[in-house]
Amino acid sequence: MTRPRATPAARTEKTQNNQGAEGFEDADRSTRGAQDFEDADRSAQGAQDLKDTDRSTQDPGDARTPTRTRLSTQDTAPTPSLADLRRHLASHLDPAARTWLDHALDEAAAHPGIHGPISVWELRLAEAGRRCGATHADAARVLILDAARAGIDALTRVYFQGTADERRAVLHALPHLVSGPEALPLVEDALRTNDTRLLSAAVGPYAARHLTAHAWRHAVLKCLFTGVPVDHVADLSRRATGDGELARMLGDYAAERTAAGRTVPEDLHRVLDLTESVTPAPVTDHPHGKES
């Protein structure tokens, strides 16, 4: 894990085709790594499922007659708490994996921070895929990072010296471990790659809170371009609602694809619907906006 690599963005491109040992098939690359996060969130929310597939129904007076179903405008990709992840792993890992994780967390808590060329908890990050399995490795690594109280220096070291799997875990850990914008360089590096698993992690809650409007719009377009479902974009409806500049960018992208004879992703229509959703101003009878 400690092998330095010169160019993180370029390095990620080369790792995309070498994930077989960790069990991440190309056909499902953007979802397998986040499965524990989605499962833990579902169990935490209970009856609050994501079934609202037509919240933004047309008004009778709407002159538009789209031939597609308008999709949900609710916020997407909520993040489970660390406690949710711990409970989820406790119920899904086999006994040997649970024992290993408990020991790894105790070690990280006993020896937090950075120690020398490599800390013991960094070694456990490298082992997590083999010990817990590819499906649960992300969640296990996030818990280890939290137990180690990894600050921005430790997170940066793991990200730039680690494997693609470890970089993804760092991105998932950011909303739990970093309160300010100082980890944005890590998100920006991930957004420069075409690794869909890194992109899915990069557009999580930390990006929703800290990316500038310009950078966030380009992140959404990157998801559409690479096929990352916009369900992975945290806080999508809040940031996209009424965003005229994002609407213009989406329109340009759709026009380019249409001119090239390519289909326009349905997710693009979904985000475009959000940009057209605005809260109407209060209506009054007085022509100058004052009640008589």
Side-chain angles (χ1 to χ4, degrees):
M1 191 195 76
T2 58
R3 297 186 303 276
R5 297 173 176 88
T7 309
R11 178 189 66 235
T12 306
E13 307 288 345
K14 294 190 292 184
T15 61
Q16 291 184 88
N17 298 322
N18 296 320
Q19 305 302 327
E22 291 291 318
F24 290 99
E25 293 81 10
D26 287 346
D28 198 20
R29 293 168 61 189
S30 65
T31 56
R32 285 282 300 276
Q35 191 62 53
D36 271 335
F37 294 85
E38 296 171 1
D39 290 347
D41 181 70
R42 278 195 291 269
S43 63
Q45 292 194 11
Q48 183 181 350
D49 56 21
L50 302 181
K51 63 183 179 180
D52 214 2
T53 57
D54 196 20
R55 256 174 62 180
S56 55
T57 52
Q58 268 187 286
D59 293 332
D62 194 339
R64 294 173 296 169
T65 55
T67 58
R68 56 189 166 79
T69 301
R70 300 190 71 181
L71 301 177
S72 170
T73 60
Q74 66 189 62
D75 286 339
T76 53
T79 294
S81 69
L82 294 170
D84 292 334
L85 289 179
R86 186 70 184 266
R87 283 191 294 269
H88 181 79
L89 289 181
S91 63
H92 285 76
L93 291 177
D94 61 44
R98 285 200 302 272
T99 298
W100 177 87
L101 179 60
D102 288 342
H103 180 66
L105 295 176
D106 289 342
E107 276 186 322
H111 305 284
I114 296 175
H115 301 281
I118 188 168
S119 302
V120 64
W121 57 265
E122 293 179 84
L123 296 174
R124 302 299 169 251
L125 291 178
E127 293 179 31
R130 177 166 54 89
R131 298 286 191 167
C132 299
T135 301
H136 304 301
D138 274 2
R141 289 184 176 111
V142 169
L143 292 176
I144 292 170
L145 288 167
D146 174 66
R149 300 194 287 279
I152 187 62
D153 290 341
L155 293 169
T156 299
R157 181 164 94 172
V158 170
Y159 181 89
F160 284 117
Q161 296 186 6
T163 66
D165 294 333
E166 290 160 21
R167 293 197 295 277
R168 189 174 63 250
V170 168
L171 294 170
H172 281 309
L174 292 182
H176 302 292
L177 302 181
V178 184
S179 59
E182 54 268 30
L184 276 178
L186 310 185
V187 174
E188 291 162 351
D189 180 82
L191 291 174
R192 287 192 291 269
T193 76
N194 288 322
D195 186 328
T196 55
R197 295 170 303 146
L198 279 184
L199 291 172
S200 296
V203 292
Y206 187 83
R209 287 201 295 264
H210 297 294
L211 277 181
T212 65
H214 176 77
W216 186 83
R217 292 176 189 126
H218 281 277
V220 172
L221 283 176
K222 186 67 174 279
C223 289
L224 294 171
F225 180 76
T226 57
V228 172
V230 296
D231 280 338
H232 290 260
V233 180
D235 215 4
L236 178 65
S237 71
R238 179 185 66 82
R239 293 208 60 165
T241 296
D243 190 334
E245 178 61 15
L246 179 58
R248 182 195 64 76
M249 295 167 68
L250 293 171
D252 290 346
Y253 179 55
E256 290 173 5
R257 291 187 65 89
T258 301
R262 305 178 68 183
T263 59
V264 176
E266 183 62 29
D267 269 358
L268 185 146
H269 296 303
R270 176 181 182 177
V271 182
L272 189 60
D273 284 343
L274 290 170
T275 66
E276 297 169 354
S277 301
V278 294
T279 303
V283 177
T284 62
D285 294 331
H286 194 281
H288 299 293
K290 297 179 181 179
E291 296 182 0
S292 56

